[in-house]
Amino acid sequence: MNVGVAHSEVNPNTRVMNSRGMWLTYALGVGMLHIVLLSIPFFSVPVAWTLTNVIHNLGMYVFLHAVKGTPFETPDQGKARLLTHWEQLDYGVQFTSSRKFFTISPIIL
């Protein structure tokens, strides 16, 4: 274990959503949430879809827009600690494929 050694990225939070298989993992997680909600006997299918949508949107709001900073030690002199994950995504560049995916996915859901 190398203590005090920074990652190769300045901020690994910026590239995590572009990593291989991340979108598939995200979609499978939403699907698993829906299956778990469908397995509860007194939830009808429309109620399960509504709860899937609400839980997904609340979770993504907290993860992308409410929590600031990074879980990593970054050598950027504390710039990332003032930014949300959405602001850090793809180094703040607008209209990238990750940002489009995370904008479209709640609409489709």
Side-chain angles (χ1 to χ4, degrees):
M1 184 168 140
N2 295 329
V3 178
V5 176
H7 301 277
S8 61
E9 289 278 336
V10 173
N11 182 358
N13 233 9
T14 58
R15 305 287 297 173
V16 70
M17 296 304 173
N18 287 328
S19 61
R20 186 174 184 192
M22 185 61 194
W23 293 2
L24 178 63
T25 304
Y26 174 82
L28 289 175
V30 171
M32 288 300 296
L33 171 65
H34 183 65
I35 289 172
V36 166
L37 290 173
L38 279 175
S39 68
I40 299 174
F42 53 88
F43 285 166
S44 64
V45 174
V47 169
W49 274 115
T50 301
L51 286 174
T52 302
N53 192 16
V54 168
I55 292 169
H56 169 266
N57 289 341
L58 284 174
M60 292 311 286
Y61 172 75
V62 169
F63 176 67
L64 289 177
H65 302 293
V67 176
K68 292 187 176 194
T70 65
F72 312 105
E73 176 95 22
T74 59
D76 65 355
Q77 310 250 330
K79 294 176 187 173
R81 71 180 171 86
L82 301 174
L83 301 175
T84 64
H85 190 78
W86 183 258
E87 294 166 336
Q88 295 174 40
L89 191 63
D90 294 329
Y91 299 104
V93 177
Q94 298 295 320
F95 304 114
T96 60
S97 57
S98 293
R99 284 182 182 251
K100 289 177 186 177
F101 176 75
F102 285 111
T103 301
I104 297 289
S105 59
I107 295 170
I108 290 172
L109 186 60

